[in-house]
Amino acid sequence: MGSYPPECIPRLGSFIQALTALRIHHKPIAVQYASQTRTPLLHVSHAECILESLQQQSLLQRLFQVRELTSYDIEIPILGAKAARKMFARYVKEELTLRGELPSIVQFAMALTAEALCKLVVRFHRSQCDMDGTDFAYLLQLPESAYANLRTVKFIETEAHVRFTAVPLVYLLRPLHRLHQLEDIEVRLEKSAMRVRDEDIWQLATAWSRLRRLVLSCTRCTGDVPTLDSLYTLADRCRFLQELVLPQLDLQRLGKVIEQRPPVEPLLPPPAPYWGASRERPHKLRVFGVACDSMTRLSDRQATRIARCIDSLFPDIDLDASWKTDDSVETLLGDWYAIWVNITTAKALRKFAPGRAYLDRK
């Protein structure tokens, strides 16, 4: 790590000329490079920028024209109703991190075209108006042509203090609904609860059928949480899904589909009437988890029913990768401890007594 005058970095020549032409004074640039690199100033590929106002957009556009800069970390100012000018970032392909209030980040992303970008990271805090749906930015949808190569999107909350209103998943993901090629979506909330309904999961699964990874994680859950209906939806529509983490599941109101399609032991081939669109093969999900445990004191019969539902939909779950237990009292008394014990039992019975694993024991 070292600080150098920008003039010493050959590949930033055109950008420095633009700064000089505009009579803008600039500070030395901090350069971080691998220890084995002998020529660090010739291998600059990442830039961190603080955009103080939209008046600096022209400078950012100049920086986007530096071919060697393939990843950026940009702090976005509060934009309000101001419209950002169109920008083109044809060389940004590895990762783009955007920081700031979520509505402003969405507006900035709407103005940007980054066709080669593979990964977008959104480090956001909530706006002063909160997430009540009144901000027009939550209605915007990024055009597919502007992010044709985007595959991974991560939302990471950076709130400094606990917020007592939940974050609706629909507001986070609506701007992405036209990007049908996405394969990895992750949402992590540290200070806020997450509101997720079955309808939200259905919209998500419809928009992104190619998903391989879906992580919706938070430290606490309040209000709406999905039912087992959402598991059926994901099993039917997202056939490539390999990792799934949901904020929580409603273990009292299990949903309607389980009554229409009760758990059936996954055999080869599985019975067609119960597998519907997915009858061609069992689902290949390997990692499954629920971020927030609950303590509703499930009966063994209820835990067995839920476990069989999960096992029948996702028979290839890796228990070692999925079941994280710390043997604390809270964990042992939680609903999911009982469910995981029953999933383990169902897997063992399927292995040693195929065809009899889901028979009720008297």
Side-chain angles (χ1 to χ4, degrees):
M1 174 72 80
S3 295
Y4 303 88
E7 294 83 355
C8 293
I9 304 177
R11 294 177 176 178
L12 296 183
S14 61
F15 179 64
I16 300 305
Q17 290 176 7
L19 292 179
T20 303
L22 294 172
R23 297 181 180 179
I24 294 178
H25 298 285
H26 44 79
K27 299 179 180 179
I29 292 179
V31 178
Q32 185 173 4
Y33 53 93
S35 57
Q36 67 271 22
T37 301
R38 296 183 179 180
T39 55
L41 301 187
L42 299 180
H43 294 83
V44 177
S45 62
H46 175 76
E48 296 184 5
C49 313
I50 299 177
L51 192 65
E52 296 179 345
S53 70
L54 291 180
Q55 295 178 351
Q56 297 177 341
Q57 267 193 271
S58 59
L59 293 176
L60 186 58
Q61 180 61 71
R62 292 268 189 170
L63 197 58
F64 283 149
Q65 293 172 0
V66 179
R67 184 188 297 267
E68 289 75 20
L69 292 177
T70 56
S71 69
Y72 286 80
D73 187 318
I74 305 174
E75 187 170 327
I76 311 298
I78 297 176
L79 299 183
K82 300 177 182 178
R85 297 191 302 274
K86 286 289 184 182
M87 293 174 292
F88 298 89
R90 60 180 300 188
Y91 300 120
V92 183
K93 57 183 179 181
E94 293 181 7
E95 181 175 321
L96 173 62
T97 298
L98 301 179
R99 303 172 183 266
E101 284 193 354
L102 187 58
S104 297
I105 291 176
V106 174
Q107 291 173 255
F108 181 89
M110 279 293 298
L112 183 66
T113 296
E115 296 176 351
L117 181 64
C118 295
K119 181 178 181 180
L120 174 64
V121 179
V122 176
R123 295 186 174 272
F124 73 96
H125 55 270
R126 296 160 65 174
S127 68
Q128 297 175 352
C129 299
D130 212 336
M131 303 184 74
D132 56 4
T134 58
D135 198 307
F136 77 95
Y138 295 131
L139 303 177
L140 300 176
Q141 293 189 353
L142 305 182
E144 183 178 6
S145 59
Y147 297 91
N149 203 46
L150 188 63
R151 295 294 183 270
T152 301
V153 178
K154 295 179 66 173
F155 290 90
I156 302 174
E157 184 185 39
T158 59
E159 289 286 343
H161 305 287
V162 173
R163 299 292 290 265
F164 294 101
T165 54
V167 173
L169 182 67
V170 63
Y171 290 163
L172 288 178
L173 299 187
R174 183 182 289 149
L176 307 175
H177 273 190
R178 293 182 182 177
L179 308 181
H180 300 299
Q181 76 279 9
L182 293 182
E183 298 178 355
D184 185 342
I185 296 177
E186 179 176 345
V187 178
R188 292 195 178 274
L189 304 183
E190 296 295 333
K191 301 297 183 179
S192 303
M194 190 184 308
R195 194 171 78 209
V196 184
R197 306 165 301 170
D198 285 330
E199 303 94 286
D200 301 330
I201 298 297
W202 186 88
Q203 291 178 3
L204 180 155
T206 301
W208 301 298
S209 61
R210 303 177 190 174
L211 274 180
R212 297 182 180 275
R213 183 172 181 269
L214 174 64
V215 175
L216 306 177
S217 178
C218 56
T219 56
R220 57 191 179 90
C221 295
T222 58
D224 297 325
V225 295
T227 69
L228 292 181
D229 285 356
S230 290
L231 295 186
Y232 282 93
T233 297
L234 292 168
D236 288 345
R237 292 179 175 268
C238 299
R239 300 298 300 164
F240 302 103
L241 198 60
Q242 297 176 10
E243 180 178 354
L244 171 64
V245 176
L246 295 176
Q248 198 176 54
L249 281 175
D250 190 331
L251 302 180
Q252 299 298 317
R253 187 174 57 91
L254 299 184
K256 301 177 181 178
V257 182
I258 193 173
E259 302 297 337
Q260 303 165 3
R261 293 166 53 186
V264 174
E265 182 178 343
L267 304 173
L268 294 176
Y274 293 100
W275 284 89
S278 64
R279 65 178 179 270
E280 67 274 8
R281 67 188 187 283
H283 201 287
K284 294 302 181 182
L285 185 78
R286 300 288 294 172
V287 179
F288 172 75
V290 174
C292 298
D293 201 349
S294 55
M295 299 181 67
T296 60
R297 296 185 178 181
L298 288 178
S299 67
D300 184 62
R301 183 179 181 86
Q302 290 172 309
T304 299
R305 190 182 187 202
I306 295 168
R308 289 177 179 176
C309 174
I310 296 171
D311 182 61
S312 65
L313 293 175
F314 308 114
D316 289 338
I317 288 177
D318 185 332
L319 291 174
D320 292 333
S322 302
W323 187 11
K324 308 297 183 183
T325 179
D326 55 10
D327 294 329
S328 65
V329 175
E330 292 78 7
T331 298
L332 295 176
L333 294 178
D335 294 332
W336 279 95
Y337 184 86
I339 294 171
W340 279 114
V341 167
N342 277 277
I343 292 176
T344 303
T345 302
K347 281 183 169 293
L349 288 173
R350 282 199 290 110
K351 181 178 180 179
F352 297 105
R356 303 179 62 184
Y358 288 7
L359 296 179
D360 290 327
R361 299 179 295 277
K362 297 182 180 179

